[in-house]
Amino acid sequence: MCRLFGMTAAPQRVKASFWLLDAADSLDHQSETNPDGTGLGTFDTAGRALVEKQPLAAYEDRQFAVEAKHRESVTFLAHVRHASTGARTANNTHPFTEQGRIFAHNGVIEDLARLDEELGRYRELVSGDTDSERFFALITQHIDAQHGDVTAGITDAARWIADRLPIFAINMLLTTATELWALRYPTTHDLYVLEREPGEHLTHRGTAGTVHVRSADPARTPTVVVASEPMDDDPGWQLMPSGELLHIDEDLRVHRTTILDKTPAHPLSLSDLSAEAAASQLHR
């Protein structure tokens, strides 16, 4: 299963160190051994999106994932990919960036021909083959239609997909230079949020060697973290309800809105997916 990790310390810039695969032996000896790509998205002091990502196809690529990345940003987005749609290439590796936003997705969306038709000219934003990048393009389309309102754009895009396309899950994270959005839908995959007060160094470690984050800066400033799994023993981790859109604004205020209050019109089960897609969605 893909792993999502997002963090914001808005309005403060903080330094954090990321290992997208925590240890070299996790690539060879654990059930999560063969992720199909890893990536990290941050923003520079001018608010420009910086995305570093690599498909994991050779030893040199795997070194990219296990080496420490020391970055400073207000918002951070990390992703470990297990491919359901699209080959193991850089263009298909998360996260994606469009119009100064960074995006990653965990799940499966089918009937991509219909989605391409709906995208129209926004299909030009898609450089790879994935359902995820198409989902991002649809969100961008709806944000533009909503005159730049990101919350409204995500809401409209998610509802369009939930009402029309076969889906297994559309869990997603989207960041700008100062804000973060997260959606969990439906209940297929988990997504957790932790509102963390200052007072201790941040150390988060995912299971099976995926996504290790460490920082001293959050000891001096509050943060909000969103992840596919609780990454430490803090009792404050909360499972997001299905259909909830979480928005952390530029002042670290947390807004929660239920945007999808019914089951998908065309839900997919593991047995409906191809063998490759089903394997990518297993909780390992």
Side-chain angles (χ1 to χ4, degrees):
M1 185 185 77
C2 297
R3 295 302 200 273
L4 297 170
F5 178 90
M7 182 173 75
T8 174
Q12 304 297 318
R13 290 182 66 82
V14 297
K15 295 178 181 178
S17 298
F18 285 79
W19 294 261
L20 300 177
L21 294 175
D22 187 27
D25 63 2
S26 72
L27 293 167
D28 299 318
H29 301 301
Q30 299 186 24
S31 62
E32 292 279 359
T33 53
N34 295 304
D36 298 300
T38 61
L40 175 64
T42 57
F43 293 84
D44 67 15
T45 55
R48 290 184 292 257
L50 303 173
V51 170
E52 305 163 84
K53 59 184 180 178
Q54 191 83 339
L56 300 183
Y59 174 76
E60 292 81 5
D61 300 325
R62 294 181 176 196
Q63 283 300 111
F64 168 87
V66 301
E67 291 173 351
K69 293 169 178 58
H70 308 292
R71 302 293 179 262
E72 181 179 284
S73 187
V74 174
T75 63
F76 302 81
L77 193 161
H79 185 270
V80 175
R81 180 187 185 222
H82 288 263
S84 59
T85 306
R88 186 189 291 173
T89 65
N91 282 346
N92 289 334
T93 303
H94 302 227
F96 306 102
T97 181
E98 296 173 3
Q99 298 186 11
R101 307 179 193 104
I102 300 175
F103 174 89
H105 161 240
N106 177 21
V108 178
I109 303 168
E110 293 192 346
D111 197 353
L112 299 186
R114 186 174 185 189
L115 182 49
D116 284 343
E117 182 180 356
E118 178 67 15
L119 286 173
R121 66 180 180 85
Y122 284 83
R123 179 64 176 81
E124 298 173 3
L125 296 175
V126 180
S127 60
D129 307 314
T130 65
D131 53 347
S132 303
E133 194 178 13
R134 288 173 166 90
F135 183 17
F136 189 21
L138 186 70
I139 290 171
T140 299
Q141 180 183 33
H142 282 280
I143 291 172
D144 288 350
Q146 292 285 352
H147 309 289
D149 186 327
V150 176
T151 297
I154 294 172
T155 300
D156 290 350
R159 287 174 176 171
W160 189 92
I161 287 175
D163 287 344
R164 293 168 177 82
L165 302 184
I167 64 171
F168 187 73
I170 55 171
N171 286 14
M172 52 129 285
L173 289 177
L174 186 152
T175 55
T176 66
T178 59
E179 299 180 75
L180 183 150
W181 287 260
L183 171 66
R184 180 186 179 220
Y185 182 77
T187 58
T188 316
H189 292 319
D190 294 341
L191 198 59
Y192 290 85
V193 59
L194 173 64
E195 299 180 50
R196 188 180 183 119
E197 294 299 324
E200 58 180 309
H201 297 277
L202 181 152
T203 300
H204 289 312
R205 189 187 302 267
T207 60
T210 59
V211 188
H212 176 196
V213 186
R214 186 170 64 207
S215 178
D217 281 356
R220 297 184 290 273
T221 186
T223 57
V224 179
V225 178
V226 181
S228 297
E229 57 193 337
M231 297 176 69
D232 59 21
D233 58 2
D234 192 311
W237 287 100
Q238 296 180 346
L239 178 65
M240 290 176 57
S242 174
E244 180 176 270
L245 178 62
L246 183 78
H247 172 212
I248 300 98
D249 69 19
E250 64 275 8
D251 294 311
L252 211 68
R253 294 174 299 207
V254 177
H255 309 269
R256 300 171 183 264
T257 308
T258 300
I259 65 169
L260 293 162
D261 59 2
K262 57 185 178 181
T263 58
H266 307 285
L268 296 170
S269 66
L270 283 175
S271 62
D272 296 320
L273 305 179
S274 68
E276 181 180 19
S280 76
Q281 301 303 305
L282 293 175
H283 295 262
R284 308 183 195 185

